[in-house]
Amino acid sequence: YNFPNVSDYNKLSVWRDGYYVTENTGGSTKLWVLERSYNFDGSPNAEARMAGFELPGIVINGFHSPQALNITNDNHPTTGGCPIVYLQDDAWNGVDTDHIKLWEATMDWDNVENSTVSPPLEIAVTEFTSVFDGGAFANLTQPNGGQDIDALQATIMNQAQFRKFDGHNSGVFNFVVDTDISGQELAGIRWIELRQDVDGGTWSLFQEGTYTAPDGKHAWHGSMAMDSEGNIGLGYTSMAGPTTPTDGSVDLVLSSYYTGRFASDAPGTMSIEETLIAKGSGNIPGGERYGDYGKMDVNPITDKEFWFLNEYVGA
């Protein structure tokens, strides 16, 4: 695939009719779709086809990070466009109410000119605050005099996931929010499950929740996925927040954790107690970028075990 020009922060997703790529760009092309069924014919100049699209009505806060739903397993929908999701915060210029925008992109590889991106569907959600320090890249103070690191705001975190069940389809994703209304910053994770009744049907909000870590710690840089039973695993980063005890009873430095929920749990709740995956040994060095990508995935053999990739400082 020969990109004429592509910006940073790419997110890649698999859908039934293409590989979908978004980027952080000031240009008009917000979405790329790459041909999946490309057959290499052996010629030295052969290229797989790709197409670029705008996302009508998208509003950003200085950073552009929508994401296509990625098919978690190999059970693809039989019809319907690829859903592209992005948060819209009423603290941003041009947004009246907090909501999720959802576009559907449908490819016609027989005649690419017939491919379409739908007008956005606006899905109302509970109010949230997603802005930290006016949109800056250094927000959350590390303990013991460490420098501020990025809350990764205005971003659908990697990776928005799709799963097909008997009777409905689910899409799950998350983004960081500020849960402290007093003026201090405390990162939490707003997570959302959308559903549609049939392939190609209308998407709507099924459940949502805001996860906050115990002991007043930050929780952010989340990644979530759903297994074959409808259980959800949520991996994330956590470290001391403004009110976290410093008496040694709580791990303060940045580390990796998980929580989750069973399909039978009350809607909007993460019932699994916070569990440490890997304990950090120090702060992220000054001037280093933190995070950007994590990845929760499901074991493709059992379709039940969760695997989480994340960043922390080790020995």
Side-chain angles (χ1 to χ4, degrees), residues 1-4 6 10-23 29-38 47-55 68-69 81-84 103-109 112 115-117:
Y1 307 99
N2 182 17
F3 279 86
V6 64
N10 304 128
K11 301 287 177 50
L12 175 67
S13 300
V14 176
W15 193 251
R16 63 183 186 87
D17 59 6
Y19 301 121
Y20 283 69
V21 182
T22 57
E23 59 175 315
T29 300
K30 308 296 187 184
L31 171 71
W32 297 97
V33 186
L34 315 183
E35 187 178 14
R36 287 186 66 212
S37 58
Y38 168 59
E47 292 181 357
R49 291 181 299 172
M50 56 188 292
F53 301 93
E54 298 182 11
L55 293 176
L69 295 190
C82 179
I84 319 294
W103 300 262
E104 289 190 321
T106 304
M107 291 302 302
D108 182 348
W109 291 110
V112 176
S115 303
T116 61
V117 173

Side-chain angles (χ1 to χ4, degrees), residues 22 31 35 44 53 82 119 168 170 194-195 212 251 280-281 293:
T22 57
L31 171 71
E35 187 178 14
F53 301 93
C82 179
H168 74 274
S170 288
L194 305 180
R195 283 192 179 184
T212 55
D251 290 331
S281 62
Y293 297 97

Side-chain angles (χ1 to χ4, degrees), residues 189-209:
I189 297 172
R190 172 62 62 89
W191 61 272
I192 288 173
E193 180 184 358
L194 305 180
R195 283 192 179 184
Q196 59 177 183
D197 294 333
V198 295
D199 292 354
T202 301
W203 288 92
S204 61
L205 179 67
F206 177 71
Q207 62 173 329
E208 61 174 331

Side-chain angles (χ1 to χ4, degrees), residues 272-285:
I272 305 300
E273 184 177 359
E274 177 184 85
T275 304
L276 177 68
I277 299 174
K279 182 178 179 179
S281 62
N283 289 332
I284 298 293

Side-chain angles (χ1 to χ4, degrees), residues 201-268:
T202 301
W203 288 92
S204 61
L205 179 67
F206 177 71
Q207 62 173 329
E208 61 174 331
T210 299
Y211 176 76
T212 55
D215 301 311
K217 302 197 307 294
H218 296 292
W220 84 106
H221 193 216
S223 185
M224 60 191 296
M226 181 178 282
D227 72 6
S228 59
E229 303 297 323
N231 309 311
I232 291 176
L234 171 63
Y236 61 96
T237 293
S238 186
M239 68 178 183
T243 64
T244 301
T246 57
D247 57 4
S249 62
V250 178
D251 290 331
L252 302 180
V253 298
L254 182 148
S255 301
S256 295
Y257 297 83
Y258 75 88
T259 181
R261 57 171 280 111
F262 295 102
S264 59
D265 288 344

Side-chain angles (χ1 to χ4, degrees), residues 131-146:
V131 177
F132 292 75
D133 300 306
F137 290 98
N139 321 111
L140 308 179
T141 302
Q142 297 183 91
N144 305 318

